[in-house]
Amino acid sequence: MNIRKSGNFKNILGKGETASIENITSDFVSLASHQLRTPLSAVKWNTEILLGQKPGRLNRRQLQYLREIYRSNERAISLVNDLLDVSRIQEGEIHLDLRQTRVEDIIEEVLDNLDTLIQASRVSVDFEIRSGPLPKVETDPEKLKRVIINLVSNAVKYTPAGGKVKIAAEQRAGAVRITVTDSGVGISAADQKKIFTKFFRSAKVLKFSPDGTGLGLFITRSLVEAMGGKIGFQSTEGRGSNFYFTIPIKYAKKT
């Protein structure tokens, strides 16, 4: 078999062999991610104890080093969680814990969780309900929270200091629609075609936030669709972005 003519290893394999390699890769990622969760959780727990200075007082430099360890560990935990989510999505294993959920409560909780990021970014964030009281939706509140965290944190990260992020919720034709609008860097026309694909990060985004996996929007779209909703966006480079998605009031399982 001559493989020198091919720049892509998959080109020399049959369809069955390619599928097998993809399955092995997926299994490896899932196994490795599961194995990493335990030591990373141990590092997080022990670092929190040290930062709380329960074993004894630490000087300023020691606390600085520990905070950096904690931040790096949190990034590693986030990466592992993203990889596990991608593995579940590819295997069709998104399980929903359906409950009657108040969308506005989830949004307020997200804003509380992201308060440190928002304050550090010096970006103003406003939330409004546009159509009067919202109905409860039948959905998975934790997955809905994950979607909103991804969209709002992206909007804040990619908006320069002094910019604005607006979150709006309204009832529309049997669903609740949530919109996240920012005055940030925007997305080029060329990049818009790839925005929901795995591991994609544009060069402009990398300048703003070098950390990241390029998995957030892929996971976000998959979760929205699993909850029976739809997601889309509009963006102009240099003038901001507008991401929106719907969650049906009554969940209907796809057949």
Side-chain angles (χ1 to χ4, degrees):
M1 182 182 295
N2 185 355
I3 65 173
R4 287 178 295 179
K5 294 181 181 179
S6 174
N8 184 343
F9 183 66
K10 288 184 179 180
N11 291 340
I12 67 173
L13 299 173
K15 290 183 179 179
E17 291 170 291
T18 301
S20 295
I21 286 180
E22 289 175 347
N23 290 339
I24 291 169
T25 302
S26 178
D27 289 344
F28 171 77
V29 168
S30 180
L31 177 62
S33 299
H34 277 292
Q35 293 300 316
L36 284 169
R37 290 185 82 172
T38 299
L40 288 172
S41 297
V43 172
K44 177 184 175 78
W45 182 68
N46 284 288
T47 305
E48 287 176 344
I49 290 174
L50 292 172
L51 284 170
Q53 304 191 65
K54 293 178 181 179
R57 293 194 62 79
L58 302 171
N59 62 43
R60 189 166 68 176
R61 176 168 287 188
Q62 289 169 330
L63 286 170
Q64 181 181 346
Y65 288 145
L66 278 172
R67 290 190 186 103
E68 183 55 39
I69 291 170
Y70 187 81
R71 284 192 291 268
S72 296
N73 192 66
E74 287 291 282
R75 288 195 293 270
I77 290 172
S78 178
L79 170 59
V80 166
N81 288 337
D82 282 351
L83 290 172
L84 283 171
D85 283 340
V86 169
S87 179
R88 294 186 188 106
I89 289 165
Q90 290 179 324
E91 293 172 8
E93 294 182 355
I94 301 179
H95 301 294
L96 299 178
D97 180 13
L98 297 174
R99 302 179 192 176
Q100 290 296 313
T101 303
R102 287 170 51 91
V103 171
E104 55 268 51
D105 289 348
I106 299 294
I107 295 174
E108 292 289 355
E109 185 179 350
V110 167
L111 293 178
D112 285 342
N113 290 347
L114 295 178
D115 184 64
T116 300
L117 172 65
I118 293 168
Q119 295 298 327
S121 301
R122 290 181 289 151
V123 171
S124 68
V125 179
D126 296 319
F127 167 47
E128 66 171 328
I129 298 174
R130 289 179 174 166
S131 57
L134 297 174
K136 289 183 178 180
V137 296
E138 184 183 14
T139 194
D140 186 318
E142 288 303 315
K143 290 179 174 58
L144 176 59
K145 180 180 175 182
R146 178 80 181 276
V147 166
I148 298 172
I149 283 176
N150 282 347
L151 294 180
V152 175
S153 62
N154 278 353
V156 171
K157 288 176 184 176
Y158 305 134
T159 297
K164 295 181 179 180
V165 172
K166 294 182 180 179
I167 307 164
E170 59 187 318
Q171 182 175 354
R172 279 198 182 186
V176 170
R177 173 177 163 129
I178 297 97
T179 306
V180 179
T181 306
D182 65 66
S183 60
V185 297
I187 306 164
S188 70
D191 287 345
Q192 288 184 22
K193 300 174 184 178
K194 311 169 192 173
I195 202 69
F196 289 116
T197 58
K198 287 182 294 183
F199 302 111
F200 175 73
R201 303 193 78 212
S202 70
K204 197 163 190 177
V205 160
L206 286 170
K207 291 179 182 178
F208 260 77
S209 179
D211 297 323
T213 62
L215 293 171
L217 287 175
F218 169 78
I219 293 170
T220 295
R221 183 183 65 178
S222 300
L223 293 179
V224 168
E225 291 176 350
M227 291 185 287
K230 296 180 180 180
I231 187 169
F233 73 96
Q234 298 160 337
S235 185
T236 302
E237 188 172 10
R239 298 182 62 183
S241 301
N242 175 38
F243 279 82
Y244 50 88
F245 70 96
T246 58
I247 295 295
I249 295 171
K250 180 69 175 176
Y251 174 78
K253 185 176 182 179
K254 294 181 180 180
T255 56

